Amino acid sequence: MSTVPDTTTKIRFAGDGTAFDVTGVQWIINPWDELSLTRALQLKEESNGAIEKVTVISVGLKETEPVIRKALAIGADEAIRIDTAPLDAYFVAKQIAGSIKDDGFDIVLCGIDSSDYNGSLVGGMLAEFLGIPSVSSISALNIENGEVSVNREIDGGKEVLSVELPFVAIIQKGVALEPRIPSMRGIMMARKKPLNVKAPVEADSLTEMISFEQLPAKAACKMVEEDNVKELVDLLHSEAKVI
Amino acid sequence: MPGSVYTPTDYFQIDDLLTDDHKIIRSAIRDWVDRSVKPVIEQACQEHKFPVYLLQEMGELGMFGPFIPEKYGGAGLDQISYGVIMTELERGDSGVRSAASVQSSLVMYPIFSFGSEDQRMKYLPGLASGKMIGAFGLTEPNHGSDPGSMITRIKDMGDHYLLNGAKMWITNSSICDIAVVWAKDDEDIIRGLIVERGMEGFTAPETHNKWSLRASVTGELVFDNVKVPKENIFPAIQGLKGPLMCLNSARYGIAWGAIGAAMDCYDTALRYAKERSQFNKPIAAFQLTQKKLAEMVTEITKAQLLAWRLGVLKNEDRATPSQISMAKRNNVNMALEIARESRQILGAMGITGDFPIMRHMMNLESVITYEGTHDIHLLITGHDITGFEAFHQ
């Protein structure tokens, strides 16, 4: 699970464009991971006890704990925080693989990407490090009589696959309708649920962030009357200088 | 994924003063308001209908009596959590927040604070879950700011009380399952009692044709020789202090709630001012618009700090009724002024239901009057600082 800035955050950069300015940023659960969590909780409820627990795992520093607590408030049974900054996808996948490889899980659900850097890499890398299959772009995930089936969005239609456990499910929209809202009581109970902090494993990051740039500001839109072709052509020629 | 465009205002990083739990609570209620209130509330207001089903959802998420201990169905949260919930609800609509205020502060609070253990166990879990809806009867047709002169009475009949009188301007009246009612006994002492729907002689007609709080139920409670069992009276409170303590809790929530309405108006006006062009530039680039917006964010920031500090005092059980009066008066007035200024920034668009501003403005005209009028709260401050009561001649 990734912690990402709220989607309405005004993005600013500090240090001459070398760092993301986190002042005043509201942090949320990555929306795709929130959908994954929602489906995981539904599967557990549908399983009549066959699914023992849902664990949330996140790579991040202590500041991410409120977001992890929210996942517990929504209904996860326990959480693991790997105590290091998430440097890049390779590094994060290494950390998660290192942490869970001996945990006896059945399915790792992860969002198709995180809404901040949109890398779409962690799920595939994680499966590779764990030596298990992964299925990407899952829009439905069901378990019936112990058989796991998933729907994948493909060009012009959908593909239905039967999957052996364990595997990494890379989740996109459709898998659950909307994320759950934690109840006030759930928020109180989350205080008592375990949030285990683990030390990071040795791993390199393969990328280095050199600089950030803002998108150029959108130019003001000029409206031209529909029958005034001459003005349009003049503007394109003399002002926009594209013809 | 789609999200709300609402950008909350936190100019002085007051978020740093909140706990992680407060922020999780706020995000939960904010998500619920975006999902369940915002999409339906404008039409509900236009049609003068309260979306009653919202009460069930609010109960399930724990928005009723969040400060009531878990044993009685509450969440056992602190007072700042209650405030944060009220802010988010009122960002949706003052009517929805009013329903939660009444249920939490005017019904659950007195049952918890003044009720017997049997009364607590009988009513609080149902009220917390939203399966039972409560109303609060203090104001009468001829006794508003002066509730001590009420004429609703209970007569001791030996094995029960006989209740007669009428209460007016009652939120949740026609949908309530129970009402906490204040009446004078044979010795002229104000007592509180729980009246249940279905008791013979109890009716609750709705007040129609409101231009404010249109998505909220308002009405009367009429008692015509209602037999109320003796076990329904609050054992632990006598006198005007009882209802006033309830109002303190509700007013505290309103001081937080009004900030939500103000932030919604400001956020709408700021976005509109940056997008709307006149004379070839956004109207946000004109000094008079900037004056309005800059004053709004200043006033919101002051109100946020006032509410937060009051919350800390309330958590420590040190908030005085006069402090609560000041915060309720200041923050509701602030919200109403911001609604009016925001409406001006939106020009003619501001009067339509395409934006929430006019709805907030009309709602706030009630909020500035109920739970102690704007003027009465001023006189409470006046009394507190001078020692002279100026309520009556």
Side-chain angles (χ1 to χ4, degrees):
Chain A
M1 188 185 89
S2 294
T3 299
V4 297
D6 192 356
T7 44
T8 59
T9 305
K10 276 186 202 136
I11 303 296
R12 297 190 189 94
F13 301 118
D16 294 335
T18 55
F20 172 46
D21 181 359
V22 297
T23 310
V25 170
Q26 308 260 346
W27 300 95
I28 60 169
I29 302 175
N30 172 37
W32 308 112
D33 294 336
E34 203 172 13
L35 272 189
S36 305
L37 172 62
T38 303
R39 186 61 191 139
L41 295 171
Q42 289 168 347
L43 287 172
K44 185 187 166 200
E45 286 156 11
E46 293 163 8
S47 78
N48 287 325
I51 296 177
E52 189 191 328
K53 64 181 175 185
V54 173
T55 305
V56 168
I57 183 160
S58 185
V59 179
L61 298 172
K62 188 159 176 39
E63 298 85 81
T64 62
E65 284 197 2
V67 177
I68 299 174
R69 284 270 170 224
K70 185 177 176 189
L72 292 171
I74 289 170
D77 299 291
E78 61 176 21
I80 299 167
R81 178 174 70 81
I82 300 173
D83 190 20
T84 180
L87 300 175
D88 65 7
Y90 178 87
F91 179 83
V92 168
K94 273 277 183 196
Q95 295 302 332
I96 296 174
S99 173
I100 67 172
K101 62 183 185 325
D102 302 320
D103 281 357
F105 59 86
D106 292 307
I107 305 175
V108 182
L109 294 95
C110 58
I112 192 162
D113 65 11
S114 59
S115 63
D116 47 6
Y117 293 102
N118 302 96
S120 305
L121 294 169
V122 171
M125 285 182 176
L126 174 61
E128 195 62 27
F129 293 145
L130 292 168
I132 60 174
S134 68
V135 181
S136 65
S137 298
I138 292 177
S139 57
L141 169 57
N142 295 297
I143 306 175
E144 263 181 61
N145 305 321
E147 296 286 313
V148 181
S149 73
V150 298
N151 292 0
R152 285 187 72 238
E153 300 294 313
I154 56 170
D155 200 11
K158 74 176 177 194
E159 182 178 65
V160 182
L161 302 174
S162 168
V163 192
E164 296 280 315
L165 298 176
F167 80 108
V168 176
I170 301 168
I171 302 293
Q172 67 151 321
K173 71 179 173 189
V175 76
L177 275 180
E178 50 188 6
R180 289 187 180 181
I181 295 174
S183 72
M184 300 305 105
R185 196 175 266 232
I187 292 167
M188 287 298 279
M189 280 164 56
R191 283 186 190 169
K192 295 170 196 150
K193 290 182 178 175
L195 197 170
N196 302 312
V197 180
K198 283 189 175 180
V201 297
E202 278 290 313
D204 297 325
S205 60
L206 302 186
T207 53
E208 183 192 351
M209 204 64 80
I210 296 166
S211 69
F212 294 97
E213 277 177 45
Q214 292 275 10
L215 285 170
K218 274 188 199 160
C221 182
K222 263 194 189 167
M223 304 299 284
V224 179
E225 293 294 326
E226 60 187 322
D227 51 2
N228 199 344
V229 178
K230 184 178 180 313
E231 189 188 350
L232 177 65
V233 172
D234 284 350
L235 284 171
L236 288 171
H237 179 68
S238 60
E239 216 167 277
K241 298 190 167 95
V242 290
I243 55 172
Chain B
M1 258 177 279
S4 159
V5 293
Y6 172 67
T7 310
T9 312
D10 184 18
Y11 203 73
F12 264 53
Q13 288 152 40
I14 299 164
D15 263 20
D16 295 353
L17 302 171
L18 301 179
T19 66
D20 292 346
D21 278 353
H22 295 147
K23 291 178 206 168
I24 298 173
I25 290 163
R26 182 177 60 189
S27 101
I29 309 300
R30 187 171 290 166
D31 286 349
W32 179 78
V33 167
D34 284 338
R35 195 182 290 179
S36 291
V37 179
K38 284 284 185 184
V40 301
I41 198 65
E42 183 57 40
Q43 196 181 344
C45 259
Q46 297 277 2
E47 293 174 1
H48 205 325
K49 265 189 201 155
F50 179 48
V52 181
Y53 66 90
L54 290 179
L55 295 172
Q56 189 74 32
E57 292 182 33
M58 291 163 81
E60 282 165 13
L61 288 175
M63 294 179 220
F64 296 139
F67 47 75
I68 298 287
E70 289 174 81
K71 180 183 169 190
Y72 303 110
L77 297 171
D78 73 346
Q79 288 293 327
I80 293 181
S81 302
Y82 176 52
V84 163
I85 293 170
M86 294 292 122
T87 301
E88 292 305 319
L89 288 180
E90 195 144 1
R91 177 176 74 85
D93 190 81
S94 302
V96 176
R97 199 269 307 137
S98 296
S101 282
V102 168
Q103 183 94 341
S104 301
S105 284
L106 301 183
V107 180
M108 296 178 72
Y109 169 82
I111 293 174
F112 173 68
S113 301
F114 315 134
S116 65
E117 187 62 16
D118 284 350
Q119 289 170 346
R120 291 175 178 180
M121 295 309 288
K122 182 174 178 187
Y123 299 109
L124 288 176
L127 290 162
S129 68
K131 292 192 175 80
M132 187 184 274
I133 298 303
F136 174 87
L138 176 67
T139 296
E140 299 183 355
N142 293 318
H143 306 280
S145 295
D146 178 18
S149 300
M150 68 172 68
I151 57 168
T152 297
R153 303 201 79 93
I154 48 170
K155 191 167 175 50
D156 192 336
M157 305 299 285
D159 62 341
H160 65 271
Y161 292 104
L162 205 58
L163 172 65
N164 276 293
K167 301 289 180 180
M168 207 175 183
W169 307 118
I170 310 302
T171 298
N172 294 348
S173 73
S174 65
I175 56 167
C176 75
D177 300 292
I178 64 164
V180 167
V181 178
W182 301 91
K184 283 184 181 164
D185 66 11
D186 296 329
E187 291 160 11
D188 262 0
I189 296 170
I190 293 174
R191 304 294 303 268
L193 62 162
I194 302 164
V195 181
E196 295 184 21
R197 174 167 295 274
M199 286 181 174
E200 204 177 328
F202 170 33
T203 49
E206 191 171 344
T207 302
H208 298 287
N209 299 326
K210 293 178 296 173
W211 284 121
S212 180
L213 298 180
R214 287 169 64 87
S216 168
V217 174
T218 311
E220 297 169 53
L221 304 174
V222 182
F223 313 106
D224 180 13
N225 283 324
V226 181
K227 279 186 183 178
V228 182
K230 285 212 155 167
E231 71 253 27
N232 281 29
I233 202 154
F234 291 142
I237 193 79
Q238 295 193 350
L240 200 53
K241 185 170 179 248
L244 292 185
M245 282 173 72
C246 301
L247 292 174
N248 270 334
S249 177
R251 290 165 180 172
Y252 164 77
I254 294 168
W256 281 86
I259 299 170
M263 283 166 70
D264 202 32
C265 292
Y266 165 73
D267 180 57
T268 305
L270 177 63
R271 194 172 318 109
Y272 187 88
K274 289 201 276 194
E275 286 168 6
R276 168 78 172 169
S277 269
Q278 288 292 283
F279 305 103
N280 292 323
K281 60 180 179 178
I283 59 171
F286 292 96
Q287 287 185 348
L288 286 177
T289 311
Q290 289 193 1
K291 176 176 188 291
K292 288 185 175 72
L293 292 167
E295 286 179 351
M296 284 184 210
V297 73
T298 306
E299 290 305 315
I300 288 171
T301 303
K302 284 153 66 178
Q304 287 171 326
L305 285 164
L306 196 60
W308 174 80
R309 177 61 187 154
L310 188 63
V312 172
L313 290 171
K314 200 137 192 329
N315 275 342
E316 296 168 357
D317 211 12
R318 293 199 291 144
T320 66
S322 305
Q323 287 170 332
I324 293 170
S325 281
M326 183 187 281
K328 189 267 183 185
R329 180 178 189 274
N330 180 78
N331 288 10
V332 176
N333 189 58
M334 169 282 302
L336 185 53
E337 292 294 330
I338 284 178
R340 289 171 179 159
E341 292 289 292
S342 299
R343 213 287 303 151
Q344 293 218 37
I345 289 177
L346 267 73
M349 290 305 290
I351 71 162
T352 71
D354 295 342
F355 296 92
I357 292 173
M358 194 86 180
R359 177 168 52 79
H360 282 309
M361 189 203 298
M362 295 199 299
N363 284 340
L364 288 161
E365 290 289 349
S366 291
V367 181
I368 202 167
T369 291
Y370 73 20
E371 311 272 342
T373 68
H374 190 61
D375 288 344
I376 287 289
H377 285 302
L378 181 91
L379 296 182
I380 290 172
T381 306
H383 177 209
D384 195 45
I385 59 174
T386 65
F388 297 111
E389 261 194 22
F391 304 106
H392 44 74
Q393 291 181 327

